[in-house]
Amino acid sequence: MEGTRPERDPGDGGDEVSRTETDATADPTADPTADPTAEPEPEAAEPDTAPGLDADAPDGAEESADQAARGLRGRLGGIAVLVTAVVLALAGGLLLQQAHALRSTDGARNHALTDAAATARVNGDVSSALAKVFSYTPDGTDATVRSARGALSGRAAEQYAQLFARVRAQVRDQKVTLSTQAVRVGTVSLRGRTAHLLVFLDQTATRGSKKPTTSAAQLSVTAELRADVWRIVDIKAR
């Protein structure tokens, strides 16, 4: 009859439509143009670089390393300053200890090193005394003896008396004139009322009409302060 459409067999094409719809919904991302018989491409391998070991480190890691290095240098600098301070403190303490030791030792009590006026006085008294007791003329031996009594004491006075007694007669007979001068005097120690000196003498002797002869002598002298005068108590030839 005109205008009447033939009925479709429900079995014709129905399964194909269903399969097509099913395949379409099975993988919505599948490429419709892909060959269904082609083998799937292998998945891309993941990089071997472990997290945190990437060669191209971010800028934040470099800044952290720089900060750590600066911190280490700062700590080392602080340690160096502390060590220097400790060394200086120890050195200062050692110097103070040595200074205290010097003040409390014999060197500090030796006024020959610290009292210039006292040293000059003992040098002057001893030099004058030696010049008097070792200078004489044929007619002036009595004056020499008197000078020795005022300048010498103790063992020095005894030694001088014995020595001068032997030469006194020769001085008169041979007309000997002796002149003595202390050219160098050094006070080795000056402690309290006792001084030890080293004295260098120049002596000129004349016998009668003969030419004068000169000689040098070196003496170790011990002097003591008595009645505000330094008197020689011991003389030793060197």
Side-chain angles (χ1 to χ4, degrees):
M1 183 178 294
E2 184 180 1
T4 303
R5 294 179 179 179
E7 294 181 0
R8 295 182 62 182
D9 185 358
D12 294 339
D15 294 340
E16 182 179 356
V17 172
S18 299
R19 286 194 300 270
T20 302
E21 293 176 353
T22 302
D23 293 341
T25 59
D27 186 4
T29 62
D31 187 358
T33 62
D35 186 1
T37 63
E39 296 181 358
E41 296 181 357
E43 296 182 358
E46 295 183 358
D48 294 335
T49 305
L53 298 179
D54 189 0
D56 298 333
D59 294 340
E62 294 181 357
E63 293 179 359
S64 299
D66 291 341
Q67 292 177 357
R70 288 195 296 270
L72 178 59
R73 288 195 295 269
R75 288 193 295 272
L76 292 177
I79 294 174
V81 171
L82 179 60
V83 171
T84 302
V86 171
V87 171
L88 291 176
L90 292 176
L94 180 59
L95 289 176
L96 290 176
Q97 183 179 4
Q98 291 177 345
H100 176 71
L102 288 175
R103 287 193 297 269
S104 61
T105 58
D106 291 340
R109 293 193 295 269
N110 184 3
H111 296 288
L113 306 176
T114 59
D115 193 336
T119 302
R121 181 181 178 186
V122 66
N123 288 351
D125 287 354
V126 170
S127 297
S128 177
L130 292 174
K132 290 177 179 179
V133 300
F134 290 114
S135 297
Y136 46 78
T137 63
D139 299 329
T141 54
D142 291 340
T144 302
V145 172
R146 288 193 298 269
S147 297
R149 290 173 181 171
L152 306 180
S153 183
R155 181 180 178 183
E158 296 175 359
Q159 292 173 334
Y160 184 82
Q162 296 174 2
L163 174 64
F164 198 72
R166 292 197 299 267
V167 302
R168 188 171 186 176
Q170 298 176 2
V171 170
R172 288 195 303 264
D173 297 340
Q174 298 179 14
K175 300 185 183 301
V176 177
T177 300
L178 180 65
S179 175
T180 299
Q181 181 181 4
V183 292
R184 292 184 63 186
V185 181
T187 300
V188 178
S189 66
L190 175 57
R191 295 181 176 88
R193 304 175 70 87
T194 302
H196 298 277
L197 304 91
L198 184 61
V199 184
F200 294 88
L201 304 176
D202 276 350
Q203 295 181 306
T204 301
T206 304
R207 285 182 171 84
S209 60
K210 295 181 179 180
K211 290 183 179 181
T213 59
T214 59
S215 61
Q218 181 177 348
L219 304 176
S220 293
V221 178
T222 301
E224 291 181 356
L225 185 62
R226 298 181 180 182
D228 203 33
V229 176
W230 285 97
R231 296 168 65 93
I232 297 173
V233 295
D234 192 20
I235 300 176
K236 293 180 180 179
R238 297 176 64 88

